[in-house]
Structures are given as C-alpha cells and as structure tokens.
Amino acid sequence: MSGHDSKYFSTTKKGEIPELKEELNSQYKDKRKDAVKKVIAAMTVGKDVSSLFTDVVNCMQTENLELKKLVYLYLINYAKSQPDLAILAVNTFVKDSQDPNPLIRALAVRTMGCIRVDKITEYLCDPLQRCLKDDDPYVRKTAAICVAKLYDINAELVEDRGFLEALKDLISDNNPMVVANAVAALAEIQEHSSKPIFEITSHTLSKLLTALNECTEWGQVFILDALSKYRAADAREAENIVERVTPRLQHANCAVVLSAVKMILQQMELITSTDVVRNLCKKMAPPLVTLLSAEPEIQYVALRNINLIVQKRPTILAHEIKVFFCKYNDPIYVKMEKLEIMIKLASDRNIDQVLLEFKEYATEVDVDFVRKAVRAIGRCAIKLERAAERCISVLLELIKIKVNYVVQEAIIVIKDIFRRYPNTYESIIATLCESLDTLDEPEAKASMIWIIGEYAERIDNADELLESFLESFPEEPAQVQLQLLTATVKLFLKKPTEGPQQMIQVVLNNATVETDNPDLRDRAYIYWRLLSTDPEAAKDVVLAEKPVISDDSNQLDPSLLDELLANIATLSSVYHKPAEAFVTRVKTSQRTEEDDFADGSETGNSESPAYAPDSSTSPPASSSSAQYVGREAVAAPAASAAPALVPDLLDLGLDNSSAIVSVDQPATPAGPPLPVLLPAATGQGLQISAQLVRRDGQVFYSMLFENDSQIPLDGFMIQFNKNTFGLAAGGPLQVPQLQPGTSASTLLPMVLHQNISPGPPSTLLQVAVKNNQQPVWYFSDAISFLVFFAEDGKMERSTFLETWKSLPDSNEVSKDFPGIVMNSVEVTLDRLAASNMFFIAKRKHANQEVLYLSAKIPRGVPFLIEITAVIGIPGLKCAIKTPSPELAPLFFEALENLLKS
C-alpha cells in the first residue's frame, strides 16, 4: 500500500464487516481493490476480519499485481485460523505458479511457502519443483528460499521429494543471486538438521567465490558466512581463498566487511607464512577503522567484534590505538567499549599517549565513565610492569584533585597494584591515608582497610587508623566488616601490643555476638580459635604469602574466544556469549498415543526463547541426595533461543534465576518412573521426582510433582546451583495449581554453560524449588554424563584416526570393568547408539572384540572410545581419548551404569 492509502485506516462507519463484504463482491474492479485495502488496513491495526476470508479469496482471480499481493498478504495472516477455507486458494496458487509473468510465479510460490498449513504443503511440491528449474532467475532465487521454509514445516517431505539435491544444483547456477539464496537456504536447513546437508567441496568453492563478486551485499554475507565454515585443504588453498575474498573488505556495507574479516581470520589459522599473515593483518586494519566512523549503533557492534579480534590478533590494530580515543559526543556505551580496547592495545610503546587520554577522561562529568577510566589506569599498571610507576604517578595526581569518587576508585585500583607488585610501591601509602575521612563507598573502604592491614608494620599509626573505622563497625556493609576483621587480626599478629589486643577483643566480640552475618561470624570464630590455641599457626594462615594477581585484559577462555570469532557479525559476538547460552530453538512433537498409531507424522513444532540470567551468591547445602538412574537419549534434529535478563525471582541465593517466558511444554512421555528426589515426608506432603533427559537434540529436566498435602500448591519456581556443566533453566517451570491428591509432570528445557562451578568435575546437580505455600526445598540429583552426547557425534573413519593421532598420549584414559559381561556386540552397539555413541569400526584381537566409537559433547569436544571385551566372559576394558580427559571419570561412571542396566 502506498503513502496516500492512509485514508483506508480512518473510518467511522458502523456495520463495517457487512459493508466490506458487499464491496468485496462488487462487480467493479476498483471497488473490490479499495475494499481489499480497507480489509488489510483493518487487519494491520488488529481488527479481526477473518470472517471475510471467502470474499477476499474470491478476489484472487485478478491480473492486477497490487491487488494480488494484498490478497496474498491476507491469506498468509489468516490461513492458519481458517485451514479448511485456505484450500480454496490452492487452485489459484497452482495456476499463478505457471503464469507468464515471473513476478506472479515467484509471488505464488513465496506465499504458499509462508502459509504454514499442512493441507496446503502437499500442493506446494509440484509448483516448487517447477520453479526451482524456472527460466527466470528471480523465480529460482525465490524458490530456493521457499525450500528452507518447507523444510521447517516438513523436513521429511523435502528430503523425499529431492528438494535438497535441487537446491545443491542451484549452487552451480549462472545467476549469482540464485547461488546466494541457495547457500542461505542450505545454511538454514543445516542449522535444523543433525545430518550433514551442506558441505562445501573444492568444486562448489570455486562457484561460490565466482558468485561472490557479482551478487548483492546480503548475498555476499550469506556466501562469506558459508565460506567461513570451510576448512581449506592446505595453506596454499587458504591463501588463494583469502586473496579472492580480500576485496570485500572495501565494501560499503559493514555486514559484508565483518563477514569478510571473520572468513579471513578463520583461514589465517591454516596459513603458515608469517609474511602473508602480516600483510593480511595490515589489510584488515583500515576497514575495521572505517567502521568506527559510522553511526554510534554500528560503532558499538564493530567495537564488540574488534574487542574479540584484538584478543586473538592484537597486531591488526596495534598501530591504530588513536582511533579508539573517545570523542566528547560519543555515547557512553561506545566510550566504555573504546576504553576496553585501549587497555587491550596498551603497550610499552604507546602507554604515555594512553595515560594522557585516561587522565583527561578522569576529569569528565560522567561519573561512571570517570570510574572506568581510573580503573583502566590501574589495569594498565597490572598489565605493563615497566609502565606501572608512570600509572601510579597519574593515579596520585588524580587523588590530589580531591574529587571524592575519583579518590575512591584510585584507592581500589592501587590495592590491586599492591597485589601485583608486592613490596614495591608502598611509599605512596601515606598519601592514601590522607583521604581516609572522605571514604564512603564500601569497596573503597574495604580496599583501604586491606592496605592498612597488609602493611600495618610500616604504618606507624595503623592501630589509630583502623580504630577510626571500628567505631561504626556494626553499621558497615558485610565486605567492610570482613576486611576490618582480617586487618585487625593482621595488626595484632604484626604488633602484639596492648592497643591491638583491646581492638581484637572488641572486633571478635562484635563479629560473633552482635552480627547476623554467618560469613562474618564463621570467620571470626576461626580467627578466635587460631589466636587462642596457636598464634604461630595463625601467623602462617593469616600472613601467608598471597598469589600475585595477573592481567585480566584478555578475559575470555581461548576455546570460547575461537567459538566467538567463528561467529563474528552475529549476536554471539556482540553478547560475547556462545549462541547456545542465549538461543535455543526447541522442536517438540506434541503427540498422543492415538497419533502414534496414525501416520507417524510430526504434528507439533514450537520455537521458544530461553532466558538464562547470571547472579553471584553463595549456594545452599543440599538436603537430600538423589538416586542415580540411567538416562535415555533420543536422536533428533539439534536445537537452538533468545535472551533477556530477569531478576532473581526466588531470592534463594543460588547462582541462576528462573526465566519469565512462554514456552510450549511438550507432554512428558510415558516411561520408567522418575527417581524420587524430594520425598513427601521431607517436603511437607510435596513429592518431587526428576531426571535429566535428552530429547530432540535438547536437554530437558523431566519432573513429576505430587501433592499429598491438605492444601492446593501453586506458583512453582526453580533454580539450579553452579555445576560442572553450567546447566541452567532455559525457561520457567510451568506447573499448574496442584490440588490435594493430584500430580503434574513437565519437561523443563535446559541450557548449558550458564553458571559453571570451579573445581573438579562432578555429576552433582543442586536444585531449589519454591511454591507460594511452602518454604524453599533443596535437593540434589546425580546426573548422567551421557545426556550431553550430541546427535552429530559420528566421525568418518579417517577423521577418527587423525583425531586419535593428533591428541597426546596424556589425553588417553582407560578403566577396567571386571563385573560387566558383553553377551552380544550388536546389542551393546545398539545400547551405546541410543546414548549417541556412534560405531566407527571393530576388529578381532586374539579372542577379544575391540570396538571403536565416537561421541561429542557441547562446544564440539570429541570423545574417541575403544572398548575391549571377550564375548560372554566377565571383564570389559574401556579407553577414551579426548581434549578434556578430566571428564573421563564421569564418562566411565555413566558407561558402567548404562552397560549394567
């Protein structure tokens, strides 16, 4: 509809639907066209005009392209609510797909693909097959995208009718836009399939590189993204690919530039020539700098991506640090990102320039920016040892300005500098002590108290300084109280005179009798016991040498950084989180037992966003231990979701919050009973059974709630404590109100790598559940490692051998299972396959059967498995080789339970 069509949105007529019905059936073409525009206008503003479905469909038989487009728009919107009437339009669609006008042919196929009604899908196949081989490239490129839409509706149909092969043929098309759309469609299909659908070969590589020069900017993005997943055979091929792609760096569209950078960075991993790598780094710098002259929103996206790039290849922008200097009119979010990158690019060569900038920023009016700038000076001091003294000089100059928040931030970073360079810069403590009276922020107070306690023997009036803080001890925040307690103990151990003795009595009394904080009370009791029984041991504990802190400018784990670099120019590179942390697309089949006896077709499909917020509080103790039960895994397409931060709903002090989001929960299928984790006797009548399971390529927490109490229970919420796999709720806990004597089951989608706990790997999952009528219930679950094995873990034999050889011998772990008998190779392989351990090969060694299998856990970590056994005789040996050998005990435990069951 054009700009002058706004009159169709303003009408005060009564009985609008009958009048529209009459106009739609008018014998005059113009009147029918106006009526359709009014219907679309009403639909746009939210009015229900579905009752006019038949009348609008009657207007389809027209040669007017504008009218046809409007009718098609109406059909897309209402076909789902009127599936039976939508069949009326099928004949027109089929007829239009053979129209002499290529625009109408393409429009017909595009619209049929958008109407997600099963009854229409089967009629789409023949027109789509014709359009994929149409003479007009516009029709072919439209049909290519339509295949991806059809795959989302009915994947089996697409495979059976040979659409995937037709799509692959389009990669060799002579029109570059057809090639680009075919690549986009295949990439979309590959995301939803666990099988290899789209693999670039040397032949298709040449076709894609040729099309790259001629297609539109978004076509180039699709092709570059596909090329970034291609692994060149050798360094020479990688250099050739990069040479063909380098001109894209000069493109006006920033999406093309970032996609080209991503592709070049991926191929650079294979290039061995240092000269070639150096030249490529020089070529990538100007386009990245150019992105910073765009509008602020694009600048921010570019800066987030550059932040990742300089962590991997700092030489690219090492000489361009000036472009990251903040301008007065930059938005605060751009300034903050520029500061981060400046810290990463700071070196002994440019530190003087950088410090001048930071010093200037520290005098600006935006308090948050000033704090960040002061902290940046401290981080540069920690990063560059030779520049530390110059950084401290700047900090002291800022302290002399006497601006309260600048002084406090400077004290916080100087404390970190003392940790980084012990016994080096203590001469400035006297200057810091002059600012004691101005401190009012908890972190600054705690930092100053730490400095006084750490260097108490060098500060003549340390006891007086601490005493000034002790006067307000009961009112201070917890972190200040904890530091005061420790600093007073340090003072007493370093100067065991009368003053510190009295202070320690007062502090220990306040921290044990006058406080409700368990952390403070526990620490005070430990100190009290140490001081009263063995003062020398107290010295060894409290005055022990502390580990030197390290530079935190490159904060990302190398494996995560590689994953994010492979996703440059996507949301993943902006959030600095892997896609699975904020995106899960859960495919669910909502079936009944009757459906299972019908044609076996998939009847449900929902996409549900998952939210996984972070929080940082201490975990509760678990109240019960979980019974271990073997997990089942069903092979199906992999899953993928969308993010938002939500508050801690339960206020439980766990490390993950539930999410507020509508999720179509699949019904819990019938199967073995779930293990009881919270018995009714413990849960005041509430009994919870649960088990972690894998279905449709997604991890779920299958739960059963039973109410044996005398009151209805509602408002159920759940949280998970930090754990080895970072498991967190991927949606809210959807449990209806439970009346006394009733039960309800649910499948809770889970996401990984959200709240990972440090320390050795463990299968323990601590859970907290709350409802509106009862207190919070805590319980523990022993999860099976096998539930994390992905459906795409099968390797080719050659890949298996190469991977085995490439891993060092230290990554091989083996274990004997004397009590396990393997009666049949086939039965064992079937059982392992059900848990996504895929058979690669087998051989005979004397009288032993040796089986080789592969599996893969999230983030692409492979497990190469070798099982050796004599058929029918107890005793089985398993050896695995993996980049993560620390997970071997969890794998062996799960394997033993699986083979015993």
Side-chain angles (χ1 to χ4, degrees):
M1 296 172 79
S2 56
H4 60 267
D5 288 333
S6 58
K7 62 179 183 285
Y8 297 111
F9 288 85
S10 54
T11 177
T12 54
K13 290 182 181 179
K14 294 182 180 178
E16 192 174 9
I17 298 294
E19 287 182 13
L20 286 172
K21 197 178 188 76
E22 186 181 331
E23 290 176 23
L24 287 167
N25 291 299
S26 169
Q27 58 183 332
Y28 302 110
K29 291 180 180 178
D30 290 343
K31 206 166 187 179
R32 287 203 302 272
K33 184 177 174 182
D34 281 356
V36 172
K37 287 188 175 183
K38 288 176 188 174
V39 170
I40 297 297
M43 182 181 83
T44 305
V45 297
K47 292 179 183 174
D48 181 13
V49 285
S50 58
S51 57
L52 298 170
F53 195 95
T54 310
D55 305 289
V56 174
V57 169
N58 289 336
C59 296
M60 278 180 77
Q61 304 279 359
T62 176
E63 293 178 7
N64 186 305
L65 188 58
E66 184 186 9
L67 178 56
K68 196 176 280 287
K69 283 182 178 179
L70 291 171
V71 174
Y72 280 4
L73 185 63
Y74 176 91
L75 280 171
I76 290 170
N77 199 49
Y78 283 114
K80 257 192 174 176
S81 60
Q82 308 270 1
D84 294 328
L85 292 176
I87 296 294
L88 299 173
V90 165
N91 284 336
T92 308
F93 280 132
V94 174
K95 182 182 170 188
D96 282 355
S97 70
Q98 301 175 64
D99 194 275
N101 186 339
L103 291 176
I104 292 178
R105 295 202 298 275
L107 182 64
V109 172
R110 180 191 292 122
T111 308
M112 285 181 84
C114 291
I115 297 176
R116 302 175 65 83
V117 175
D118 289 336
K119 293 177 181 177
I120 285 186
T121 302
E122 56 193 80
Y123 294 103
L124 172 61
C125 293
D126 291 335
L128 183 55
Q129 275 180 330
R130 280 197 301 273
C131 289
L132 283 168
K133 295 174 181 171
D134 198 278
D135 293 336
D136 193 283
Y138 181 78
V139 180
R140 294 200 300 277
K141 83 180 184 68
T142 306
I145 296 296
C146 192
V147 174
K149 292 178 180 176
L150 182 59
Y151 188 88
D152 197 40
I153 301 167
N154 192 334
E156 204 173 299
L157 183 66
V158 170
E159 292 174 14
D160 291 348
R161 294 293 293 263
F163 286 122
L164 291 179
E165 284 66 32
L167 211 50
K168 289 172 187 174
D169 291 341
L170 289 183
I171 292 178
S172 303
D173 199 276
N174 55 10
N175 185 285
M177 269 316 299
V178 177
V179 176
N181 278 21
V183 169
L186 284 166
E188 176 77 15
I189 290 168
Q190 182 65 77
E191 277 185 30
H192 293 81
S193 173
S194 58
K195 295 182 285 187
I197 301 289
F198 180 37
E199 292 179 340
I200 299 176
T201 62
S202 55
H203 175 69
T204 53
L205 175 68
S206 172
K207 299 282 185 185
L208 294 181
L209 289 169
T210 304
L212 189 62
N213 298 320
E214 300 171 32
C215 58
T216 65
E217 52 198 18
W218 297 113
Q220 291 179 37
V221 170
F222 290 132
I223 292 174
L224 286 168
D225 286 348
L227 288 173
S228 67
K229 295 180 175 69
Y230 174 71
R231 185 171 177 84
D234 52 33
R236 185 180 178 81
E237 187 182 21
E239 287 178 36
N240 290 336
I241 295 169
V242 168
E243 191 179 339
R244 299 276 294 274
V245 169
T246 305
R248 301 302 107 212
L249 293 172
Q250 270 69 52
H251 203 282
N253 187 318
C254 53
V256 176
V257 173
L258 283 174
S259 291
V261 167
K262 168 173 68 178
M263 191 259 155
I264 292 170
L265 283 171
Q266 295 298 104
Q267 298 300 337
M268 277 171 70
E269 295 296 313
L270 296 169
I271 297 174
T272 51
S273 168
T274 51
D275 290 339
V276 174
V277 170
R278 193 183 307 112
N279 287 333
L280 285 173
C281 288
K282 283 181 184 175
K283 286 179 182 176
M284 278 194 281
L288 289 173
V289 169
T290 305
L291 293 177
L292 300 181
S293 58
E295 51 268 32
E297 293 80 5
I298 289 178
Q299 277 189 58
Y300 178 74
V301 172
L303 287 165
R304 292 292 282 175
N305 282 279
I306 288 169
N307 196 326
L308 297 172
I309 293 165
V310 296
Q311 288 185 54
K312 183 75 173 179
R313 304 263 181 192
T315 53
I316 292 176
L317 293 162
H319 303 291
E320 307 287 348
I321 195 164
K322 281 188 178 179
V323 301
F324 299 105
F325 288 177
C326 298
K327 299 173 185 171
Y328 75 94
N329 58 348
D330 279 340
I332 186 64
Y333 56 88
V334 170
K335 286 181 176 179
M336 295 294 199
E337 280 305 311
K338 283 185 173 180
L339 272 182
E340 279 294 325
I341 294 170
M342 285 166 70
I343 295 166
K344 288 180 171 62
L345 293 178
S347 64
D348 292 327
R349 189 178 59 255
N350 60 27
I351 189 65
D352 291 327
Q353 277 181 305
V354 171
L355 286 177
L356 277 173
E357 280 293 308
F358 287 165
K359 187 179 176 183
E360 191 177 325
Y361 302 158
T363 60
E364 290 203 9
V365 291
D366 189 309
V367 176
D368 287 338
F369 183 51
V370 170
R371 288 177 184 277
K372 186 92 170 179
V374 175
R375 198 156 286 209
I377 297 170
R379 286 173 62 186
C380 285
I382 291 167
K383 178 183 177 183
L384 305 168
E385 186 171 353
R386 283 188 281 184
E389 195 166 339
R390 279 171 282 174
C391 295
I392 286 178
S393 300
V394 174
L395 289 170
L396 289 176
E397 287 175 41
L398 293 173
I399 288 173
K400 287 172 186 171
I401 298 171
K402 299 289 184 187
V403 176
N404 192 15
Y405 52 85
V406 175
V407 172
Q408 302 201 78
E409 201 67 33
I411 288 172
I412 292 167
V413 299
I414 286 172
K415 181 258 293 181
D416 289 337
I417 294 171
F418 285 168
R419 290 280 310 275
R420 177 73 174 84
Y421 308 108
N423 306 315
T424 308
Y425 299 108
E426 285 72 29
S427 56
I428 67 170
I429 292 174
T431 310
L432 302 182
C433 291
E434 293 171 11
S435 307
L436 277 178
D437 297 337
T438 63
L439 302 182
D440 55 16
E441 293 174 13
E443 192 177 359
K445 275 187 181 180
S447 298
M448 192 67 227
I449 292 165
W450 181 88
I451 292 170
I452 295 169
E454 190 67 16
Y455 300 101
E457 73 278 12
R458 304 186 192 186
I459 304 172
D460 296 336
N461 60 338
D463 49 349
E464 293 173 23
L465 297 176
L466 285 180
E467 205 160 3
S468 64
F469 287 106
L470 287 175
E471 292 168 5
S472 57
F473 184 90
E475 292 80 40
E476 295 289 359
Q479 69 182 120
V480 177
Q481 290 179 328
L482 286 164
Q483 282 296 353
L484 264 173
L485 172 61
T486 303
T488 310
V489 172
K490 286 178 181 176
L491 175 66
F492 172 71
L493 291 171
K494 291 177 178 181
K495 294 182 178 178
T497 55
E498 187 179 343
Q501 278 186 1
Q502 291 175 346
M503 284 170 62
I504 199 73
Q505 286 297 332
V506 173
V507 171
L508 289 175
N509 186 59
N510 274 329
T512 53
V513 179
E514 305 293 332
T515 183
D516 294 328
N517 186 320
D519 291 339
L520 180 64
R521 200 165 53 236
D522 289 351
R523 190 184 292 191
Y525 278 129
I526 291 168
Y527 285 153
W528 202 328
R529 179 65 62 87
L530 275 170
L531 293 169
S532 60
T533 55
D534 190 347
E536 288 305 313
K539 278 188 180 181
D540 292 339
V541 172
V542 181
L543 304 180
E545 192 173 327
K546 292 161 198 62
V548 175
I549 62 173
S550 58
D551 165 33
D552 66 344
S553 56
N554 292 337
Q555 300 160 337
L556 294 174
D557 178 78
S559 60
L560 175 59
L561 179 61
D562 288 340
E563 186 176 345
L564 295 178
L565 285 169
N567 288 304
I568 279 181
T570 67
L571 274 179
S572 189
S573 67
V574 177
Y575 289 156
H576 287 191
K577 290 181 177 179
E580 65 266 20
F582 60 91
V583 179
T584 52
R585 184 171 295 145
V586 183
K587 282 204 166 188
T588 60
S589 295
Q590 298 164 345
R591 308 173 62 86
T592 63
E593 288 184 3
E594 292 174 0
D595 291 332
D596 290 333
F597 287 102
D599 59 359
S601 62
E602 193 169 300
T603 59
N605 173 31
S606 73
E607 296 180 7
S608 53
Y611 296 73
D614 298 320
S615 89
S616 55
T617 47
S618 55
S622 60
S623 62
S624 67
S625 61
Q627 172 189 358
Y628 173 80
V629 174
R631 310 308 198 232
E632 61 179 313
V634 181
S640 10
L645 295 178
V646 295
D648 184 345
L649 299 179
L650 305 186
D651 195 24
L652 300 180
L654 284 169
D655 289 86
N656 180 57
S657 306
S658 293
I660 306 174
V661 59
S662 173
V663 178
D664 295 328
Q665 294 286 356
T668 307
L674 299 172
V676 176
L677 303 184
L678 179 73
T682 308
Q684 296 179 6
L686 172 64
Q687 180 162 297
I688 300 176
S689 308
Q691 185 178 52
L692 204 68
V693 297
R694 186 180 190 88
R695 293 201 176 94
D696 296 337
Q698 168 80 356
V699 177
F700 292 95
Y701 205 40
S702 180
M703 304 186 77
L704 174 66
F705 294 78
E706 297 172 79
N707 184 6
D708 294 330
S709 70
Q710 302 304 310
I711 56 170
L713 302 176
D714 61 15
F716 285 89
M717 290 178 280
I718 190 167
Q719 288 184 328
F720 297 87
N721 196 11
K722 284 188 176 182
N723 54 82
T724 295
F725 306 100
L727 282 164
L733 187 58
Q734 295 191 349
V735 181
Q737 185 182 58
L738 279 182
Q739 296 297 330
T742 63
S743 64
S745 59
T746 186
L747 273 183
L748 176 68
M750 303 289 283
V751 291
L752 296 168
H753 314 302
Q754 285 297 295
N755 50 346
I756 298 174
S757 65
S762 165
T763 55
L764 184 70
L765 181 66
Q766 292 178 321
V767 189
V769 173
K770 182 185 178 186
N771 59 61
N772 291 339
Q773 290 74 29
Q774 296 180 320
V776 179
W777 300 118
Y778 302 116
F779 55 87
S780 297
D781 189 359
I783 59 182
S784 169
F785 183 64
L786 302 184
V787 81
F788 302 107
F789 280 171
E791 286 74 13
D792 59 348
K794 184 170 178 62
M795 288 184 177
E796 297 296 329
R797 290 192 185 192
S798 56
T799 309
F800 183 96
L801 284 169
E802 287 170 12
T803 310
W804 188 283
K805 290 174 185 174
S806 67
L807 291 170
D809 291 340
S810 57
N811 284 37
E812 185 174 345
V813 189
S814 61
K815 185 178 178 181
D816 292 307
F817 301 94
I820 293 180
V821 182
M822 186 163 76
N823 291 314
S824 162
V825 170
E826 288 70 30
V827 171
T828 303
L829 289 176
D830 288 345
R831 189 174 291 182
L832 295 171
S835 292
N836 291 332
M837 285 178 275
F838 300 96
F839 175 69
I840 304 294
K842 68 174 181 176
R843 65 184 177 88
K844 276 272 192 186
H845 179 67
N847 62 338
Q848 295 177 322
E849 293 282 350
V850 185
L851 311 178
Y852 295 95
L853 305 102
S854 69
K856 187 169 80 174
I857 61 173
R859 296 191 173 174
V861 178
F863 272 68
L864 312 182
I865 305 161
E866 181 189 72
I867 294 176
T868 308
V870 179
I871 299 298
I873 296 178
L876 177 145
K877 181 179 181 180
C878 179
I880 65 166
K881 220 173 187 185
T882 173
S884 301
E886 68 275 6
L887 297 175
L890 309 189
F891 170 79
F892 289 137
E893 179 188 356
L895 181 68
E896 185 172 16
N897 283 297
L898 176 70
L899 296 177
K900 277 183 178 177
S901 61

